[in-house]
Amino acid sequence: MSTNTEKTNKYNSANLIDQLNKRILVLDGAMGTMVQSFALDENDFRGSILSNHPGELMGNNELLSLTKPEVIESIHRSFLKAGADIIETNTFNGNRISQSDFSTENLIHDMNFAAARIARKVADETSQVDPDKPRFVCGALGPTNKMASLSPDIQNPQLRSFDFDDFKDAYYEQAIGLIEGGVDCLMVETVFDTLNAKAALVAIDEAFTVSGSQLPLMISVTITDASGRTLSGQTVEAFWSSVNHANLLTAGINCALGAELIEPYLKDLARICDRYVSVHPNAGLPNELGEYDESPEITAEFIGRFCREGLVNIVGGCCGTTPEHIRAMTETVQGITPRKF
């Protein structure tokens, strides 16, 4: 990493913490929802660099940072224009375990580095225009599409597709690309299996040591249904007990449930968590077509309630949330005191 990038990371990281102490920050919305609005085809995902790739690539959104960077840049700009303080890199599935489905494991570093650079560019440009409202780049590390805790075959409970070290190595490779690309912080998000997340925490710690950059670290769990548990069976309290040893800036809840159904679990986390708390729910529950119908006004109403009750420091959107949702949230949180702990 260049000296200039390292200095910028340190300055922005300190500034992020300073801003968290002053106000409630707004995270961006759903990358996938916005990509779908561009109606891209197979050739868009391939670009010139993958024109001869042997398999289909449509749907591999992380490739767009390399093959259609203008699309990703446009999405980031739309969320920043809507008022987002933090934008997440287009890297949710930017790890070799997820990318193995497309045989694109050789592009892991490139796609993470490129995604970070795209986000860095637009965040810095927006901050320069409005220096009183600095914008930050969060490197997104998704859960992968496999589990370390549970077997993929109910007839063979000891079977694992990948072991702990496989997850750790995959996350390390991703984290290095994001750090070198210039992100301000990292978020291990949509955690449905805490063992996966623990591998990510170990990997990130190693990446910080090797890169020489100690960035703020965020984590966000997903509660999958009304049982109040993760897919691997943990309650919010159990999840927090499993990860609170780490040097975390924030802990939060995102995805699976809409804001209305997330509320009791967010209250549980806010009650026990001694870090900043984040929440970025879906735009309600999906309809029978898998689409999200909850309006920006309704989502923002719940978000405003969370803020007024002193539950959160960072709010944002997950599946189905658009720039309009983020704009409504930004307006709603103005002037509300952030959660104290």
Side-chain angles (χ1 to χ4, degrees):
M1 179 184 297
S2 69
T3 301
N4 287 339
T5 299
E6 189 171 347
K7 288 180 178 178
T8 300
N9 282 351
K10 289 180 179 178
Y11 169 77
N12 285 343
S13 298
N15 200 9
L16 173 60
I17 297 170
D18 181 59
Q19 292 296 315
L20 277 170
N21 289 325
K22 293 178 178 178
R23 58 193 177 93
I24 294 170
L25 299 185
V26 179
L27 190 69
D28 61 7
M31 176 63 70
T33 298
M34 294 300 293
V35 167
Q36 289 174 11
S37 71
F38 283 81
L40 303 176
D41 61 21
E42 178 69 20
N43 289 331
D44 293 314
F45 285 88
R46 287 178 174 274
S48 59
I49 64 172
L50 291 166
S51 58
N52 296 319
H53 190 76
E56 290 188 4
L57 297 174
M58 190 169 175
N60 188 351
N61 291 349
E62 289 68 27
L63 285 179
L64 297 174
S65 298
L66 299 172
T67 60
K68 276 285 186 180
E70 67 274 16
V71 168
I72 303 304
E73 181 175 330
S74 174
I75 292 170
H76 286 320
R77 288 191 188 281
S78 68
F79 282 122
L80 289 169
K81 187 176 181 180
D85 299 291
I86 306 169
I87 53 174
E88 289 190 81
T89 54
N90 176 39
T91 53
F92 184 81
N93 286 310
N95 61 80
R96 67 173 43 250
I97 293 174
S98 298
Q99 289 297 315
S100 65
D101 289 348
F102 297 93
S103 300
T104 46
E105 302 97 313
N106 61 312
L107 296 174
I108 297 301
H109 182 274
D110 291 348
M111 67 174 59
N112 282 278
F113 181 85
R117 296 312 301 163
I118 294 168
R120 177 83 275 150
K121 173 189 173 185
V122 294
D124 288 348
E125 289 175 357
T126 307
S127 295
Q128 288 171 6
V129 173
D130 186 8
D132 292 332
K133 184 180 168 68
R135 311 302 177 98
F136 304 96
V137 176
C138 177
L141 298 93
T144 82
N145 54 4
K146 304 295 181 182
M147 297 182 69
S149 293
L150 301 178
S151 170
D153 182 358
I154 60 172
Q155 302 300 325
N156 186 5
Q158 68 181 7
L159 179 67
R160 296 293 183 275
S161 301
F162 298 91
D163 63 23
F164 186 89
D165 286 339
D166 292 327
F167 285 101
K168 179 177 72 69
D169 292 345
Y171 279 121
Y172 174 84
E173 184 178 27
Q174 183 177 18
I176 286 291
L178 291 168
I179 293 168
E180 291 181 352
V183 299
D184 300 312
C185 57
L186 295 172
M187 182 191 291
V188 180
E189 66 161 305
T190 322
V191 175
F192 59 74
D193 184 346
T194 308
L195 193 56
N196 290 27
K198 290 172 81 71
L201 295 176
V202 173
I204 290 168
D205 190 53
E206 291 182 3
F208 285 162
T209 299
V210 171
S211 67
S213 290
Q214 188 74 34
L215 304 180
L217 179 55
M218 307 162 72
I219 196 167
S220 185
V221 67
T222 184
I223 301 301
T224 55
D225 56 38
S227 70
R229 296 176 180 269
T230 64
L231 191 60
S232 57
Q234 283 191 313
T235 62
V236 167
E237 292 89 343
F239 166 75
W240 180 238
S241 295
S242 299
V243 300
N244 66 15
H245 64 282
N247 185 23
L248 296 168
L249 176 68
T250 73
I253 303 176
N254 76 290
C255 200
L257 305 176
E260 181 177 14
L261 296 178
I262 269 181
E263 185 171 12
Y265 313 118
L266 179 62
K267 287 181 176 179
D268 287 342
L269 180 62
R271 174 175 50 82
I272 60 178
C273 181
D274 58 352
R275 322 290 163 89
Y276 299 102
V277 168
S278 69
V279 64
H280 51 293
N282 294 344
L285 294 174
N287 61 28
E288 61 275 11
L289 300 177
E291 299 172 344
Y292 294 86
D293 301 323
E294 188 171 277
S295 71
E297 293 75 20
I298 292 175
T299 304
E301 181 179 345
F302 287 113
I303 292 294
R305 188 163 80 195
F306 299 162
C307 296
R308 289 188 295 273
E309 291 181 0
L311 301 177
V312 292
N313 304 93
I314 299 174
V315 300
C318 202
C319 302
T321 55
T322 65
E324 287 70 31
H325 288 83
I326 300 307
R327 182 174 289 106
M329 290 183 200
T330 301
E331 294 170 356
T332 297
V333 304
Q334 294 302 310
I336 302 178
T337 302
R339 171 181 175 270
K340 304 297 183 183
F341 60 93

mmCIF file of all heavy atoms in Angstrom, residues 40-75:
data_model
loop_
_atom_site.group_PDB
_atom_site.id
_atom_site.type_symbol
_atom_site.label_atom_id
_atom_site.label_comp_id
_atom_site.label_asym_id
_atom_site.label_seq_id
_atom_site.Cartn_x
_atom_site.Cartn_y
_atom_site.Cartn_z
ATOM 1 N N LEU A 40 -29.016 -5.206 -17.460
ATOM 2 C CA LEU A 40 -27.788 -5.623 -18.139
ATOM 3 C C LEU A 40 -27.941 -7.025 -18.717
ATOM 4 O O LEU A 40 -28.744 -7.826 -18.242
ATOM 5 C CB LEU A 40 -26.618 -5.593 -17.151
ATOM 6 C CG LEU A 40 -26.352 -4.242 -16.472
ATOM 7 C CD1 LEU A 40 -25.231 -4.373 -15.455
ATOM 8 C CD2 LEU A 40 -26.022 -3.164 -17.502
ATOM 9 N N ASP A 41 -27.138 -7.324 -19.744
ATOM 10 C CA ASP A 41 -27.178 -8.656 -20.338
ATOM 11 C C ASP A 41 -25.839 -9.360 -20.154
ATOM 12 O O ASP A 41 -24.910 -8.823 -19.535
ATOM 13 C CB ASP A 41 -27.577 -8.593 -21.817
ATOM 14 C CG ASP A 41 -26.598 -7.779 -22.666
ATOM 15 O OD1 ASP A 41 -25.419 -7.594 -22.248
ATOM 16 O OD2 ASP A 41 -26.989 -7.319 -23.757
ATOM 17 N N GLU A 42 -25.741 -10.558 -20.688
ATOM 18 C CA GLU A 42 -24.537 -11.375 -20.524
ATOM 19 C C GLU A 42 -23.282 -10.652 -21.001
ATOM 20 O O GLU A 42 -22.232 -10.714 -20.356
ATOM 21 C CB GLU A 42 -24.708 -12.697 -21.274
ATOM 22 C CG GLU A 42 -23.510 -13.641 -21.225
ATOM 23 C CD GLU A 42 -23.248 -14.252 -19.853
ATOM 24 O OE1 GLU A 42 -24.181 -14.266 -19.020
ATOM 25 O OE2 GLU A 42 -22.121 -14.712 -19.610
ATOM 26 N N ASN A 43 -23.376 -9.950 -22.100
ATOM 27 C CA ASN A 43 -22.209 -9.246 -22.639
ATOM 28 C C ASN A 43 -21.731 -8.142 -21.699
ATOM 29 O O ASN A 43 -20.528 -7.858 -21.632
ATOM 30 C CB ASN A 43 -22.527 -8.659 -24.015
ATOM 31 C CG ASN A 43 -22.657 -9.731 -25.074
ATOM 32 O OD1 ASN A 43 -22.027 -10.789 -24.984
ATOM 33 N ND2 ASN A 43 -23.479 -9.478 -26.090
ATOM 34 N N ASP A 44 -22.646 -7.526 -20.980
ATOM 35 C CA ASP A 44 -22.249 -6.498 -20.019
ATOM 36 C C ASP A 44 -21.415 -7.094 -18.894
ATOM 37 O O ASP A 44 -20.448 -6.486 -18.435
ATOM 38 C CB ASP A 44 -23.487 -5.813 -19.438
ATOM 39 C CG ASP A 44 -24.249 -5.004 -20.461
ATOM 40 O OD1 ASP A 44 -23.604 -4.257 -21.215
ATOM 41 O OD2 ASP A 44 -25.488 -5.130 -20.513
ATOM 42 N N PHE A 45 -21.807 -8.267 -18.444
ATOM 43 C CA PHE A 45 -21.059 -8.915 -17.360
ATOM 44 C C PHE A 45 -19.706 -9.432 -17.850
ATOM 45 O O PHE A 45 -18.744 -9.474 -17.088
ATOM 46 C CB PHE A 45 -21.876 -10.054 -16.754
ATOM 47 C CG PHE A 45 -22.987 -9.581 -15.865
ATOM 48 C CD1 PHE A 45 -24.237 -9.282 -16.385
ATOM 49 C CD2 PHE A 45 -22.781 -9.420 -14.506
ATOM 50 C CE1 PHE A 45 -25.264 -8.833 -15.570
ATOM 51 C CE2 PHE A 45 -23.803 -8.969 -13.677
ATOM 52 C CZ PHE A 45 -25.050 -8.663 -14.212
ATOM 53 N N ARG A 46 -19.635 -9.828 -19.106
ATOM 54 C CA ARG A 46 -18.384 -10.347 -19.660
ATOM 55 C C ARG A 46 -17.383 -9.232 -19.974
ATOM 56 O O ARG A 46 -16.195 -9.341 -19.655
ATOM 57 C CB ARG A 46 -18.660 -11.135 -20.942
ATOM 58 C CG ARG A 46 -19.319 -12.474 -20.696
ATOM 59 C CD ARG A 46 -19.627 -13.198 -21.986
ATOM 60 N NE ARG A 46 -20.117 -14.541 -21.692
ATOM 61 C CZ ARG A 46 -19.323 -15.597 -21.503
ATOM 62 N NH1 ARG A 46 -18.015 -15.461 -21.630
ATOM 63 N NH2 ARG A 46 -19.824 -16.773 -21.203
ATOM 64 N N GLY A 47 -17.875 -8.173 -20.609
ATOM 65 C CA GLY A 47 -16.961 -7.139 -21.061
ATOM 66 C C GLY A 47 -15.939 -7.710 -22.025
ATOM 67 O O GLY A 47 -16.062 -8.847 -22.509
ATOM 68 N N SER A 48 -14.900 -6.952 -22.266
ATOM 69 C CA SER A 48 -13.849 -7.435 -23.165
ATOM 70 C C SER A 48 -12.911 -8.413 -22.475
ATOM 71 O O SER A 48 -12.354 -9.313 -23.106
ATOM 72 C CB SER A 48 -13.049 -6.252 -23.714
ATOM 73 O OG SER A 48 -12.463 -5.509 -22.653
ATOM 74 N N ILE A 49 -12.787 -8.285 -21.150
ATOM 75 C CA ILE A 49 -11.793 -9.106 -20.449
ATOM 76 C C ILE A 49 -12.244 -10.549 -20.274
ATOM 77 O O ILE A 49 -11.422 -11.442 -20.029
ATOM 78 C CB ILE A 49 -11.426 -8.502 -19.074
ATOM 79 C CG1 ILE A 49 -12.647 -8.498 -18.150
ATOM 80 C CG2 ILE A 49 -10.863 -7.102 -19.225
ATOM 81 C CD1 ILE A 49 -12.317 -8.105 -16.724
ATOM 82 N N LEU A 50 -13.551 -10.812 -20.374
ATOM 83 C CA LEU A 50 -14.058 -12.165 -20.161
ATOM 84 C C LEU A 50 -14.899 -12.640 -21.342
ATOM 85 O O LEU A 50 -15.766 -13.505 -21.186
ATOM 86 C CB LEU A 50 -14.892 -12.217 -18.873
ATOM 87 C CG LEU A 50 -14.104 -12.045 -17.569
ATOM 88 C CD1 LEU A 50 -15.022 -11.778 -16.397
ATOM 89 C CD2 LEU A 50 -13.238 -13.263 -17.292
ATOM 90 N N SER A 51 -14.625 -12.124 -22.499
ATOM 91 C CA SER A 51 -15.418 -12.471 -23.679
ATOM 92 C C SER A 51 -15.342 -13.953 -24.026
ATOM 93 O O SER A 51 -16.273 -14.515 -24.599
ATOM 94 C CB SER A 51 -14.965 -11.631 -24.882
ATOM 95 O OG SER A 51 -13.582 -11.838 -25.144
ATOM 96 N N ASN A 52 -14.235 -14.594 -23.664
ATOM 97 C CA ASN A 52 -14.063 -16.015 -23.981
ATOM 98 C C ASN A 52 -14.226 -16.929 -22.770
ATOM 99 O O ASN A 52 -13.871 -18.107 -22.824
ATOM 100 C CB ASN A 52 -12.681 -16.239 -24.598
ATOM 101 C CG ASN A 52 -12.532 -15.531 -25.931
ATOM 102 O OD1 ASN A 52 -13.447 -15.525 -26.754
ATOM 103 N ND2 ASN A 52 -11.372 -14.903 -26.153
ATOM 104 N N HIS A 53 -14.784 -16.390 -21.686
ATOM 105 C CA HIS A 53 -14.959 -17.207 -20.480
ATOM 106 C C HIS A 53 -15.934 -18.359 -20.772
ATOM 107 O O HIS A 53 -16.959 -18.167 -21.432
ATOM 108 C CB HIS A 53 -15.501 -16.344 -19.342
ATOM 109 C CG HIS A 53 -15.482 -17.015 -18.017
ATOM 110 N ND1 HIS A 53 -14.329 -17.181 -17.286
ATOM 111 C CD2 HIS A 53 -16.475 -17.580 -17.282
ATOM 112 C CE1 HIS A 53 -14.608 -17.804 -16.150
ATOM 113 N NE2 HIS A 53 -15.907 -18.068 -16.130
ATOM 114 N N PRO A 54 -15.643 -19.568 -20.282
ATOM 115 C CA PRO A 54 -16.423 -20.751 -20.677
ATOM 116 C C PRO A 54 -17.822 -20.866 -20.071
ATOM 117 O O PRO A 54 -18.583 -21.645 -20.463
ATOM 118 C CB PRO A 54 -15.554 -21.913 -20.199
ATOM 119 C CG PRO A 54 -14.731 -21.347 -19.091
ATOM 120 C CD PRO A 54 -14.457 -19.934 -19.477
ATOM 121 N N GLY A 55 -18.174 -20.111 -19.070
ATOM 122 C CA GLY A 55 -19.502 -20.260 -18.464
ATOM 123 C C GLY A 55 -20.278 -18.962 -18.464
ATOM 124 O O GLY A 55 -19.748 -17.894 -18.787
ATOM 125 N N GLU A 56 -21.561 -19.043 -18.102
ATOM 126 C CA GLU A 56 -22.384 -17.842 -18.004
ATOM 127 C C GLU A 56 -21.964 -17.004 -16.798
ATOM 128 O O GLU A 56 -21.642 -17.535 -15.738
ATOM 129 C CB GLU A 56 -23.857 -18.219 -17.876
ATOM 130 C CG GLU A 56 -24.458 -18.807 -19.146
ATOM 131 C CD GLU A 56 -25.961 -18.980 -19.033
ATOM 132 O OE1 GLU A 56 -26.540 -18.575 -18.003
ATOM 133 O OE2 GLU A 56 -26.558 -19.521 -19.983
ATOM 134 N N LEU A 57 -21.989 -15.691 -16.971
ATOM 135 C CA LEU A 57 -21.545 -14.776 -15.922
ATOM 136 C C LEU A 57 -22.635 -13.809 -15.474
ATOM 137 O O LEU A 57 -22.450 -13.072 -14.501
ATOM 138 C CB LEU A 57 -20.322 -13.978 -16.405
ATOM 139 C CG LEU A 57 -19.077 -14.810 -16.714
ATOM 140 C CD1 LEU A 57 -17.990 -13.935 -17.316
ATOM 141 C CD2 LEU A 57 -18.567 -15.498 -15.450
ATOM 142 N N MET A 58 -23.750 -13.803 -16.171
ATOM 143 C CA MET A 58 -24.824 -12.885 -15.824
ATOM 144 C C MET A 58 -25.291 -13.137 -14.394
ATOM 145 O O MET A 58 -25.511 -14.272 -13.983
ATOM 146 C CB MET A 58 -25.990 -13.044 -16.791
ATOM 147 C CG MET A 58 -27.044 -11.970 -16.646
ATOM 148 S SD MET A 58 -28.216 -12.028 -18.022
ATOM 149 C CE MET A 58 -29.385 -10.776 -17.492
ATOM 150 N N GLY A 59 -25.405 -12.075 -13.615
ATOM 151 C CA GLY A 59 -25.763 -12.188 -12.212
ATOM 152 C C GLY A 59 -24.583 -12.088 -11.266
ATOM 153 O O GLY A 59 -24.765 -11.920 -10.058
ATOM 154 N N ASN A 60 -23.370 -12.171 -11.807
ATOM 155 C CA ASN A 60 -22.175 -12.022 -10.979
ATOM 156 C C ASN A 60 -21.860 -10.523 -10.872
ATOM 157 O O ASN A 60 -20.994 -9.992 -11.560
ATOM 158 C CB ASN A 60 -21.005 -12.787 -11.608
ATOM 159 C CG ASN A 60 -19.788 -12.838 -10.699
ATOM 160 O OD1 ASN A 60 -19.736 -12.161 -9.665
ATOM 161 N ND2 ASN A 60 -18.803 -13.633 -11.081
ATOM 162 N N ASN A 61 -22.577 -9.857 -9.988
ATOM 163 C CA ASN A 61 -22.509 -8.395 -9.910
ATOM 164 C C ASN A 61 -21.121 -7.858 -9.607
ATOM 165 O O ASN A 61 -20.769 -6.749 -10.026
ATOM 166 C CB ASN A 61 -23.489 -7.888 -8.848
ATOM 167 C CG ASN A 61 -24.934 -8.065 -9.261
ATOM 168 O OD1 ASN A 61 -25.237 -8.381 -10.414
ATOM 169 N ND2 ASN A 61 -25.838 -7.864 -8.322
ATOM 170 N N GLU A 62 -20.327 -8.642 -8.881
ATOM 171 C CA GLU A 62 -18.999 -8.174 -8.509
ATOM 172 C C GLU A 62 -18.103 -7.969 -9.722
ATOM 173 O O GLU A 62 -17.174 -7.156 -9.688
ATOM 174 C CB GLU A 62 -18.359 -9.148 -7.524
ATOM 175 C CG GLU A 62 -18.978 -9.129 -6.131
ATOM 176 C CD GLU A 62 -20.393 -9.674 -6.080
ATOM 177 O OE1 GLU A 62 -20.753 -10.516 -6.928
ATOM 178 O OE2 GLU A 62 -21.157 -9.256 -5.189
ATOM 179 N N LEU A 63 -18.365 -8.695 -10.812
ATOM 180 C CA LEU A 63 -17.576 -8.528 -12.031
ATOM 181 C C LEU A 63 -17.774 -7.156 -12.655
ATOM 182 O O LEU A 63 -16.901 -6.670 -13.389
ATOM 183 C CB LEU A 63 -17.960 -9.594 -13.066
ATOM 184 C CG LEU A 63 -17.457 -11.005 -12.844
ATOM 185 C CD1 LEU A 63 -17.969 -11.919 -13.949
ATOM 186 C CD2 LEU A 63 -15.930 -11.039 -12.787
ATOM 187 N N LEU A 64 -18.895 -6.514 -12.367
ATOM 188 C CA LEU A 64 -19.200 -5.238 -13.004
ATOM 189 C C LEU A 64 -18.217 -4.140 -12.616
ATOM 190 O O LEU A 64 -18.068 -3.153 -13.347
ATOM 191 C CB LEU A 64 -20.624 -4.809 -12.663
ATOM 192 C CG LEU A 64 -21.729 -5.741 -13.181
ATOM 193 C CD1 LEU A 64 -23.089 -5.298 -12.654
ATOM 194 C CD2 LEU A 64 -21.735 -5.793 -14.706
ATOM 195 N N SER A 65 -17.548 -4.295 -11.501
ATOM 196 C CA SER A 65 -16.505 -3.324 -11.139
ATOM 197 C C SER A 65 -15.357 -3.348 -12.143
ATOM 198 O O SER A 65 -14.631 -2.360 -12.287
ATOM 199 C CB SER A 65 -15.977 -3.612 -9.732
ATOM 200 O OG SER A 65 -17.005 -3.489 -8.770
ATOM 201 N N LEU A 66 -15.216 -4.473 -12.840
ATOM 202 C CA LEU A 66 -14.180 -4.615 -13.865
ATOM 203 C C LEU A 66 -14.727 -4.422 -15.271
ATOM 204 O O LEU A 66 -14.040 -3.860 -16.138
ATOM 205 C CB LEU A 66 -13.542 -6.006 -13.762
ATOM 206 C CG LEU A 66 -12.841 -6.346 -12.449
ATOM 207 C CD1 LEU A 66 -12.441 -7.815 -12.428
ATOM 208 C CD2 LEU A 66 -11.614 -5.465 -12.254
ATOM 209 N N THR A 67 -15.946 -4.888 -15.531
ATOM 210 C CA THR A 67 -16.465 -4.882 -16.894
ATOM 211 C C THR A 67 -17.423 -3.729 -17.186
ATOM 212 O O THR A 67 -17.584 -3.338 -18.342
ATOM 213 C CB THR A 67 -17.197 -6.209 -17.190
ATOM 214 O OG1 THR A 67 -18.285 -6.368 -16.266
ATOM 215 C CG2 THR A 67 -16.243 -7.390 -17.037
ATOM 216 N N LYS A 68 -18.070 -3.189 -16.164
ATOM 217 C CA LYS A 68 -18.988 -2.055 -16.327
ATOM 218 C C LYS A 68 -18.815 -1.081 -15.156
ATOM 219 O O LYS A 68 -19.759 -0.783 -14.421
ATOM 220 C CB LYS A 68 -20.441 -2.536 -16.372
ATOM 221 C CG LYS A 68 -20.918 -3.002 -17.734
ATOM 222 C CD LYS A 68 -21.158 -1.791 -18.655
ATOM 223 C CE LYS A 68 -21.784 -2.225 -19.972
ATOM 224 N NZ LYS A 68 -22.009 -1.061 -20.860
ATOM 225 N N PRO A 69 -17.613 -0.561 -14.964
ATOM 226 C CA PRO A 69 -17.369 0.301 -13.794
ATOM 227 C C PRO A 69 -18.258 1.533 -13.758
ATOM 228 O O PRO A 69 -18.589 2.036 -12.684
ATOM 229 C CB PRO A 69 -15.896 0.671 -13.934
ATOM 230 C CG PRO A 69 -15.570 0.457 -15.377
ATOM 231 C CD PRO A 69 -16.405 -0.697 -15.801
ATOM 232 N N GLU A 70 -18.685 2.007 -14.942
ATOM 233 C CA GLU A 70 -19.543 3.195 -14.969
ATOM 234 C C GLU A 70 -20.897 2.932 -14.325
ATOM 235 O O GLU A 70 -21.524 3.838 -13.755
ATOM 236 C CB GLU A 70 -19.718 3.698 -16.409
ATOM 237 C CG GLU A 70 -20.486 2.778 -17.342
ATOM 238 C CD GLU A 70 -19.651 1.710 -18.019
ATOM 239 O OE1 GLU A 70 -18.504 1.456 -17.562
ATOM 240 O OE2 GLU A 70 -20.134 1.140 -19.026
ATOM 241 N N VAL A 71 -21.365 1.684 -14.384
ATOM 242 C CA VAL A 71 -22.635 1.333 -13.743
ATOM 243 C C VAL A 71 -22.494 1.401 -12.229
ATOM 244 O O VAL A 71 -23.337 1.979 -11.524
ATOM 245 C CB VAL A 71 -23.106 -0.067 -14.182
ATOM 246 C CG1 VAL A 71 -24.254 -0.559 -13.309
ATOM 247 C CG2 VAL A 71 -23.523 -0.050 -15.650
ATOM 248 N N ILE A 72 -21.439 0.811 -11.707
ATOM 249 C CA ILE A 72 -21.208 0.818 -10.261
ATOM 250 C C ILE A 72 -20.976 2.244 -9.764
ATOM 251 O O ILE A 72 -21.509 2.647 -8.718
ATOM 252 C CB ILE A 72 -20.012 -0.083 -9.902
ATOM 253 C CG1 ILE A 72 -20.251 -1.513 -10.424
ATOM 254 C CG2 ILE A 72 -19.776 -0.088 -8.393
ATOM 255 C CD1 ILE A 72 -21.542 -2.145 -9.939
ATOM 256 N N GLU A 73 -20.242 3.021 -10.514
ATOM 257 C CA GLU A 73 -20.010 4.413 -10.144
ATOM 258 C C GLU A 73 -21.328 5.182 -10.084
ATOM 259 O O GLU A 73 -21.576 5.964 -9.158
ATOM 260 C CB GLU A 73 -19.056 5.076 -11.134
ATOM 261 C CG GLU A 73 -18.745 6.524 -10.796
ATOM 262 C CD GLU A 73 -17.690 7.126 -11.718
ATOM 263 O OE1 GLU A 73 -16.822 6.382 -12.205
ATOM 264 O OE2 GLU A 73 -17.752 8.356 -11.935
ATOM 265 N N SER A 74 -22.192 4.947 -11.065
ATOM 266 C CA SER A 74 -23.484 5.622 -11.103
ATOM 267 C C SER A 74 -24.334 5.259 -9.895
ATOM 268 O O SER A 74 -25.020 6.128 -9.311
ATOM 269 C CB SER A 74 -24.219 5.248 -12.394
ATOM 270 O OG SER A 74 -25.526 5.766 -12.411
ATOM 271 N N ILE A 75 -24.309 4.002 -9.490
ATOM 272 C CA ILE A 75 -25.083 3.561 -8.326
ATOM 273 C C ILE A 75 -24.574 4.237 -7.058
ATOM 274 O O ILE A 75 -25.357 4.746 -6.245
ATOM 275 C CB ILE A 75 -25.040 2.026 -8.204
ATOM 276 C CG1 ILE A 75 -25.799 1.389 -9.365
ATOM 277 C CG2 ILE A 75 -25.615 1.573 -6.862
ATOM 278 C CD1 ILE A 75 -25.619 -0.115 -9.478
#
